[in-house]
Amino acid sequence: MVTIAEEWLNSCSGCEIAILNIGDVLVDLLPQLEFVHIPVLIDKKYYGQTGENTELDIPEAVVGIVSGGVRNSEHLEVLKKMRERCQILIALGTCATDGGIPALGNMYSLQEIKDFMYRESPTTVAGPDPDYKTYHIPEAFETVTALDEHVKVDIKLPGCPPHPDWITAAVLALLDGKTELNLPERSVCDTCPTIRKSKKSTGDLKRILESPEFDPEKPVDEMRCLLEQGFMCLGPVTRAGCSGMTGTAPRCIATRVPCRGCYGPIKDGALPLVDYVGALSTVGYDPRKMVDRRGFLCRFNGAHSVLRKIG
Amino acid sequence: MASPNSAKTIRVAPVTRIEGHAGFEIMLDDNGNVADARMAIMTLRGFEKFVVGRPVEEVRDIVNRICGICPWNHHLASCKAADGCLGITPPPTGRKLRELCQMLAFIPDKILHFYFLAAPDFVLGPDADYSVRNVVGVVGAAPDLAKQVVHMRYKVQMALEKFAGKVIHPIAAVPGGYSRPMLEEERKELLAVVKEALDFSVFSLNFAKENVFPKYLDVINTVGVFPSGYLGTVRPSDGALEFHDGELRMMDMDGNYEQFKYNEYQDYIAEHVEPWTYLKFPYMKKAGKIVLDETNPVGVYRVNCLARINVCDTMATPLAQKELEIFRSAFGRPAHQTLLYNYARLIELIQCCERAEELLNDPEITGREVRHQKIEPRAGEGVGCLEAPRGTLIHHYKTDDNGLVTMANLVVATGHNNAGMNLGVKQAAKALIKDGKYDQGVLNTIEMTIRAYDP
């Protein structure tokens, strides 16, 4: 029996749905797991069940799972409490490991975000910014950060969302007494079955405003590599794993759309913004012609000061 | 958010068994009666701002992450808004594949909400101890049913995942249509799953009508009851409930309504800002203002399943229509009881299954022309709108000559329901807390008025 506490910070709940998508296997595992705190499923409150306490608390657990990055003071308070209460802390999903999509917000200042939201939007009757000093709401922070920028993280499970296979693998490893689990440091391309001819291409980079060439009746391993077809596919700089442990094709590619990097960089500290230049040049494209380069190459990893406001 | 005049503030956080981050506070006066109550949303993520500068065809992959429970709806609303910016209409097969995915995504979502999130209150009771009042408690109380529920939800999720590649944070729809055609064997496989889901939906509603709702009629008719307007989408030809593509209908609290096109939304909806929450309050623009008074609200409307059931003239499919008639004979139109959202959700579940079956039996669904082969970027404007599980979803974008986003305005379901959730909490707190007496069961019953929307 393992006790588990789960929390979500600057997140969307997709990681929690991924946990549920373990499906029938989860039902089999349930007798060995005890969830002592998980807001999406269980009514454990921070300030006591009748709000009688003034300090935020979370029950002790062997395993702590946290999805989402840190965008406000409550996220940080919850994260620190989780670290304090849990022996092993898992960062679940790319928001927790690398900032994820919400870290695209780091391209703008917090004030610009608030200005649009509370004054400039075409439907909004202008009003004041939320006032955390007067009311009991968290202070929004200037940037989105990843968990390991604040606390020690024991296991990182990236993915947006992580494939249920990896979550199951982590749970089984923990039940087995292990305290580590690392996803392989391989690229999406290493697991992609599309045909590569390694010939330099010419022409302009393509946006998904046009369709790649493929025969829908034929399996994906008979389709030409999307990067070689001229599409900005982020496979070369993205960590493999999106199709779980099934050995099937990366999920976007199987759907005939290019990879967008949702598993984050291939390893800690890798910078797709730099590495992709080489990948593009290899197939004959001019990286300078890429539209919205930062928005593509930092889409999922804008924490760790990778993305910042320019100008 | 304590108010200076309150003698005591009860603070409940986080709101649980919902998708999102909220807390509520109840302010008591010197006699221990409720002076005021508020629900606050804690996070500001800034999607509207940070999609600016992105290519419009990429936004569909970014806005998914607004919500991990209903990513398909943001994905599809974004594709529709991008279609508008680019000045294109998807071919019929592409449009139908999008709608099919939306229906297939609704099915597990509704099962999840009813059985995993809401049911513990009804099966274990609103005042059961928190340690058993959850899905694990439901498994203990009704193990066979729970196993069937988990399996059915999983089966539909995985069927959609298999066809569309990714079920959470989808990538399969694209501006101009859908990424790839459906093969005949895929159609057959999905049809079998949908038929099973339809049977399960009918079973679920019958189960709830016999075993759940009658027991709680008292609670339904006293907790979270207040008049409001409603907003939802209908089919223009006959006023039937529509999820994917129709016109918006805004109904006042007496049942009178106006109907308008998506791109007219700014004439009907304005948003109000309060300093005590990060979420804005959309309201009926024609009312001129919003007043959060649960006995006499002004400008307040709600969305989500009860709103849709209230604004539509009929359901769009036969079995769902039969159930709507039964519902209306019991509760009238419009029905204002917040907890009836749970009932309306199951009627909609039936329509989703029936509609998915219709689409899968449509010969056009396996057509080969699923998208425009090549679209030129251009300056434009588009309003993409549809009904998400939690209510009307509006994505409004503008683009520059290179097809990069210059403005994005999003009005999402949780926003539309912000006023409704606040009024529900206030009404329920006033009805249930007297002379300073309350316990965890009372606080949970108040919370049920938020949970009903699954915000």
Side-chain angles (χ1 to χ4, degrees):
Chain A
M1 176 71 92
V2 170
T3 49
I4 301 179
E6 202 272 352
E7 263 290 351
W8 44 10
L9 309 179
N10 195 38
S11 65
C12 70
S13 76
C15 290
E16 285 68 25
I17 301 297
I19 295 176
L20 294 182
N21 281 1
I22 295 172
D24 299 343
V25 177
L26 183 62
V27 180
D28 298 337
L29 283 174
L30 267 185
Q32 298 175 71
L33 313 174
E34 188 190 347
F35 284 92
V36 294
H37 178 89
I38 173 168
V40 72
L41 293 178
I42 292 179
D43 299 341
K44 187 84 186 80
K45 305 298 185 187
Y46 294 148
Y47 303 96
Q49 296 309 107
T50 54
E52 67 276 18
N53 304 327
T54 49
E55 296 262 315
L56 180 148
D57 203 8
I58 287 167
E60 281 187 2
V62 173
V63 179
I65 303 175
V66 177
S67 70
V70 173
R71 171 105 238 183
N72 69 31
S73 55
E74 185 182 78
H75 298 151
L76 189 57
E77 190 181 2
V78 169
L79 173 61
K80 286 183 171 168
K81 187 58 78 175
M82 284 288 283
R83 179 68 274 184
E84 187 188 317
R85 291 293 195 214
C86 304
Q87 293 169 31
I88 300 160
L89 193 70
I90 302 178
L92 182 67
T94 308
C95 292
T97 59
D98 297 274
I101 288 279
L104 278 173
N106 292 353
M107 293 168 95
Y108 291 93
S109 72
L110 177 63
Q111 196 55 53
E112 285 173 307
I113 289 172
K114 287 181 184 168
D115 284 344
F116 183 83
M117 179 89 175
Y118 301 116
R119 285 168 294 278
E120 294 164 6
S121 123
T123 34
T124 299
V125 178
D129 285 340
D131 179 0
Y132 68 92
K133 288 178 180 159
T134 307
Y135 302 99
H136 219 138
I137 50 175
E139 175 190 4
F141 291 158
E142 185 60 33
T143 59
V144 175
T145 41
L147 303 191
D148 66 0
E149 297 179 73
H150 303 280
V151 299
K152 177 175 173 282
V153 171
D154 300 300
I155 293 175
K156 292 180 182 175
L157 290 181
C160 190
H163 192 285
D165 283 0
W166 295 111
I167 306 175
T168 311
V171 171
L172 291 174
L174 292 166
L175 283 171
D176 203 26
K178 296 181 184 129
T179 54
E180 293 197 343
L181 180 97
N182 294 309
L183 259 62
E185 290 181 355
R186 293 196 299 161
S187 77
V188 166
C189 295
D190 291 337
T191 63
C192 181
T194 55
I195 299 165
R196 262 163 283 179
K197 296 182 178 166
S198 300
K199 277 196 294 196
K200 291 236 177 192
S201 307
T202 51
D204 289 333
L205 276 172
K206 291 172 188 148
R207 291 162 61 174
I208 51 174
L209 292 172
E210 59 190 292
S211 177
E213 281 180 26
F214 67 93
D215 180 344
E217 302 284 350
K218 290 188 176 157
V220 66
D221 58 10
E222 294 184 39
M223 179 174 79
R224 177 100 190 265
C225 161
L226 292 177
L227 188 60
E228 289 193 359
Q229 288 196 42
F231 290 89
M232 287 178 283
C233 181
L234 266 62
V237 293
T238 302
R239 193 191 281 261
C242 68
S243 52
M245 295 174 166
T246 54
T248 53
R251 298 202 275 186
C252 288
I253 313 299
T255 315
R256 320 296 170 128
V257 295
C259 169
R260 284 294 174 253
C262 81
Y263 260 63
I266 294 169
K267 55 184 175 186
D268 274 6
L271 280 177
L273 196 56
V274 177
D275 299 339
Y276 198 62
V277 172
L280 269 188
S281 307
T282 309
V283 288
Y285 290 102
D286 181 353
R288 285 169 305 183
K289 288 190 179 162
M290 218 180 144
V291 64
D292 186 30
R293 229 174 91 226
R294 288 201 308 154
F296 272 103
L297 297 175
C298 310
R299 183 173 295 177
F300 289 89
N301 64 318
H304 299 110
S305 307
V306 167
L307 266 184
R308 64 188 76 185
K309 182 174 158 55
I310 296 177
Chain B
M1 53 183 145
S3 128
N5 300 323
S6 65
K8 181 180 178 183
T9 299
I10 308 165
R11 184 161 175 235
V12 179
V15 176
T16 43
R17 287 185 280 128
I18 64 160
E19 185 276 308
H21 297 72
F24 64 92
E25 292 193 339
I26 300 165
M27 284 68 101
L28 303 183
D29 62 21
D30 289 334
N31 300 320
N33 294 320
V34 176
D36 202 0
R38 286 170 181 163
M39 184 206 73
I41 296 290
M42 305 299 184
T43 44
L44 169 67
R45 290 179 298 171
F47 276 86
E48 290 166 310
K49 195 70 204 177
F50 66 68
V51 299
V52 171
R54 313 283 80 76
V56 71
E57 73 277 12
E58 294 294 328
V59 176
R60 78 196 211 299
D61 176 56
I62 296 172
V63 293
N64 290 349
R65 274 77 180 185
I66 291 172
C67 175
I69 293 192
C70 64
W72 276 96
N73 299 279
H74 288 283
H75 182 64
L76 295 170
S78 180
C79 285
K80 289 173 83 175
D83 290 344
C85 292
L86 297 161
I88 44 170
T89 307
T93 298
R95 200 209 72 87
K96 285 175 184 174
L97 287 172
R98 285 181 182 180
E99 185 185 353
L100 176 66
C101 287
Q102 187 195 8
M103 291 304 98
L104 292 173
F106 259 72
I107 296 167
D109 179 87
K110 287 181 183 294
I111 294 174
L112 170 75
H113 183 268
F114 184 75
Y115 286 106
F116 286 60
L117 306 183
D121 293 322
F122 298 106
V123 174
L124 285 309
D127 50 5
D129 189 77
Y130 84 88
S131 60
V132 296
R133 193 182 56 218
N134 53 54
V135 65
V136 180
V138 174
V139 173
D144 292 343
L145 175 61
K147 216 165 189 177
Q148 209 185 337
V149 169
V150 170
H151 183 68
M152 196 67 240
R153 181 198 156 273
Y154 181 62
K155 196 165 184 177
V156 183
Q157 280 277 92
M158 289 306 116
L160 178 55
E161 173 127 315
K162 193 172 170 197
F163 170 60
K166 259 184 102 189
V167 65
I168 311 172
H169 301 325
I171 30 72
V174 289
Y178 193 86
S179 55
R180 69 174 187 94
M182 175 180 281
L183 305 176
E184 175 58 18
E185 58 265 30
E186 291 177 316
R187 187 191 72 84
K188 281 191 191 140
E189 214 173 297
L190 281 171
L191 190 58
V193 174
V194 164
K195 284 189 163 154
E196 198 182 329
L198 177 57
D199 289 344
F200 183 73
S201 311
V202 172
F203 160 79
S204 294
L205 182 53
N206 286 334
F207 173 81
K209 280 195 301 189
E210 282 160 26
N211 304 303
V212 178
F213 302 136
K215 268 201 288 189
Y216 292 99
L217 259 187
D218 234 23
V219 184
I220 289 171
N221 285 320
T222 49
V223 174
V225 183
F226 59 92
S228 76
Y230 296 96
L231 175 71
T233 304
V234 295
R235 195 158 63 188
S237 58
D238 59 358
L241 190 152
E242 169 65 38
F243 293 109
H244 193 71
D245 209 17
E247 288 181 355
L248 289 168
R249 190 179 271 187
M250 189 176 258
M251 177 178 268
D252 69 20
M253 60 175 80
D254 300 316
N256 309 304
Y257 62 79
E258 291 186 279
Q259 199 165 312
F260 53 97
K261 295 190 164 39
Y262 293 153
N263 59 11
E264 298 172 311
Y265 82 102
Q266 293 179 72
D267 297 335
Y268 294 86
I269 296 169
E271 296 183 276
H272 170 77
V273 177
E274 283 287 347
W276 45 265
T277 175
Y278 281 96
L279 188 64
K280 290 180 285 191
F281 292 85
Y283 63 95
M284 292 172 165
K285 195 173 184 179
K286 290 189 172 170
K289 61 177 176 180
I290 180 167
V291 179
L292 294 178
D293 175 348
E294 74 283 5
T295 55
N296 188 23
V298 179
V300 174
Y301 67 88
R302 294 186 267 176
V303 299
N304 195 324
C305 36
L306 182 64
R308 288 189 286 253
I309 294 273
N310 278 333
V311 303
C312 75
D313 296 323
T314 63
M315 300 301 284
T317 56
L319 290 176
Q321 172 57 19
K322 270 190 199 154
E323 295 298 339
L324 178 67
E325 286 163 18
I326 295 169
F327 177 90
R328 282 207 171 140
S329 67
F331 301 105
R333 177 191 184 196
H336 292 304
Q337 296 94 323
T338 301
L339 295 180
L340 287 180
Y341 273 92
N342 295 301
Y343 189 153
R345 191 163 284 122
L346 293 176
I347 300 176
E348 284 194 338
L349 172 60
I350 293 176
Q351 173 163 326
C352 292
C353 295
E354 288 183 287
R355 180 64 188 144
E357 192 177 8
E358 279 175 11
L359 285 162
L360 284 163
N361 283 322
D362 183 334
E364 234 173 17
I365 201 78
T366 46
R368 283 293 173 263
E369 201 194 326
V370 292
R371 69 185 283 189
H372 285 248
Q373 289 303 300
K374 188 166 185 193
I375 305 162
E376 291 303 324
R378 62 163 212 178
E381 182 169 359
V383 178
C385 187
L386 47 69
E387 290 294 324
R390 287 147 198 83
T392 309
L393 174 60
I394 302 167
H395 281 233
H396 175 194
Y397 310 153
K398 289 182 187 173
T399 51
D400 67 12
D401 292 338
N402 199 17
L404 305 186
V405 174
T406 58
M407 192 286 300
N409 191 38
L410 311 179
V411 189
V412 306
T414 305
H416 295 292
N417 281 328
N418 196 5
M421 289 187 283
N422 269 280
L423 291 185
V425 168
K426 209 190 288 193
Q427 188 274 344
K430 286 185 177 174
L432 296 173
I433 300 180
K434 302 271 190 232
D435 306 324
K437 286 190 197 124
Y438 60 90
D439 57 20
Q440 65 91 22
V442 164
L443 296 179
N444 181 55
T445 309
I446 294 168
E447 204 172 318
M448 283 165 67
T449 66
I450 301 172
R451 198 170 290 133
Y453 304 93
D454 186 22

